[in-house]
Amino acid sequence: MKVRQSLPSKGISRMYKGYLIDLDGTMYNGTAVIDGAVDFIDRLNKESIPYVFLTNNATKTQVEAAQKLLDMGFNIHPETLYTSAMATAAYLSETAPGASIYVIGSDSLKETLEASGLTITEDDADYVVMGLDPDINYGKLSKAALMINSGSTFIATNPDRKFPTEKGFVPGNGSLVSVLVSATDVEPVIIGKPEGIILEAAVAALDLPKDEVLMVGDNYDTDILTGINGGVDTLHVNTGVTSREEVEGKTHRPTYMIDNLKEWSVR
């Protein structure tokens, strides 16, 4: 593979002792498994190389996210999943245990937050937490805006503007968060990639130094910047959000770039 701007080609790679792996656009697009993804995980399993699926998707619980992979033919364990919903719950449990929260998001996000001892409310919340909500409407956005303008702290599970499905790209949480930012002039605390909050938790789960870990993903603004900002090497796969041409034009480029995970040797 020929890559401009000094990006290493396939075959030029270090051997990493652990992996952080994105889901949407890297393992699958919507309900369609990406070619080479199952084989990549099988090779990691065969070599007993540990990995954590690090996803900004906050619509599913850990078990639900794992079940999707299992149903697609991936040989994985639920504990390998770490979602932005889990990171949000951990962050709030540590910084504001027992806090009241108004949630825009899926029932699974609410379940994850409640399981951490947080109290979900519809009025006068300490925090407004926003994740991707398939049933978003004006009423929910209005209620959140009023709370934020009255002093509730604004939390966004992730900043993804869009994500790939089997039919094409659709709006992500970041696109909807921007509505509240416009209405309140308040920027949220972002928990998911590319912020360090979720990265540090995932690296700790691997129990490896950062220089022995590789971050794998398709979205430059989340996956790749997570590694660049956090001191972890990165592998961009051209199967999702950010195209090869866009990556090649970046000032700060990933450590590696490939078209398909079949090109990557784990040993």
Side-chain angles (χ1 to χ4, degrees):
M1 182 189 72
K2 295 181 180 179
V3 184
R4 299 191 305 273
Q5 300 188 4
S6 300
L7 281 171
S9 65
K10 64 180 181 180
I12 302 176
S13 62
R14 282 181 44 201
M15 297 298 105
Y16 292 89
K17 294 184 179 179
Y19 284 74
L20 302 176
I21 306 168
D22 176 55
L23 291 180
D24 292 275
T26 303
M27 295 289 101
Y28 53 73
N29 284 324
T31 58
V33 178
I34 291 174
D35 183 38
V38 172
D39 172 70
F40 175 66
I41 298 304
D42 286 344
R43 287 185 284 126
L44 291 177
N45 290 336
K46 181 179 179 181
E47 297 292 342
S48 299
I49 298 174
Y51 53 87
V52 170
F53 291 106
L54 188 60
T55 177
N56 271 358
N57 190 329
T59 64
K60 300 179 184 296
T61 65
Q62 182 186 47
V63 171
E64 289 169 343
Q67 191 60 53
K68 178 172 181 175
L69 288 170
L70 290 167
D71 291 344
M72 287 179 160
F74 290 89
N75 180 18
I76 59 98
H77 298 285
E79 59 268 23
T80 59
L81 273 291
Y82 195 73
T83 72
S84 64
M86 295 167 64
T88 301
Y91 172 80
L92 287 173
S93 296
E94 181 177 343
T95 59
S100 61
I101 51 175
Y102 173 65
V103 181
I104 296 179
S106 67
D107 289 341
S108 295
L109 173 58
K110 295 175 183 178
E111 179 183 332
T112 299
L113 294 169
E114 282 188 305
S116 294
L118 300 162
T119 301
I120 293 179
T121 182
E122 292 291 316
D123 302 290
D124 301 321
D126 299 318
Y127 292 84
V128 170
V129 175
M130 186 168 183
L132 184 63
D133 187 344
D135 299 314
I136 191 74
N137 58 46
Y138 186 79
K140 293 179 181 180
L141 290 169
S142 296
K143 181 176 288 190
L146 290 169
M147 289 187 190
I148 294 167
N149 284 327
S150 296
S152 299
T153 301
F154 186 17
I155 303 284
T157 60
N158 67 85
D160 299 55
R161 295 181 299 106
K162 60 182 179 179
F163 64 93
T165 71
E166 65 276 14
K167 295 181 179 180
F169 291 106
V170 296
N173 190 50
S175 294
L176 302 174
V177 165
S178 66
V179 175
L180 287 183
V181 173
S182 296
T184 63
D185 294 321
V186 174
E187 293 289 340
V189 175
I190 296 174
I191 303 298
K193 298 175 289 184
E195 300 304 313
I197 295 170
I198 193 169
L199 174 67
E200 297 300 327
V203 171
L206 287 175
D207 195 25
L208 290 169
K210 287 183 176 180
D211 63 0
E212 294 180 350
V213 174
L214 185 67
M215 175 75 215
V216 183
D218 68 292
N219 188 328
Y220 180 89
D221 293 330
T222 55
D223 306 320
I224 303 307
L225 283 184
T226 296
I228 291 173
N229 295 340
V232 173
D233 283 356
T234 53
L235 172 63
H236 187 275
V237 188
N238 303 323
T239 52
V241 171
T242 313
S243 69
R244 170 197 293 276
E245 291 73 23
E246 290 175 296
V247 173
E248 290 175 341
K250 299 293 184 181
T251 300
H252 302 288
R253 295 179 292 275
T255 315
Y256 314 96
M257 182 165 66
I258 58 176
D259 289 326
N260 189 286
L261 284 169
K262 289 180 179 179
E263 301 170 16
W264 188 256
S265 175
V266 301
R267 279 286 185 255

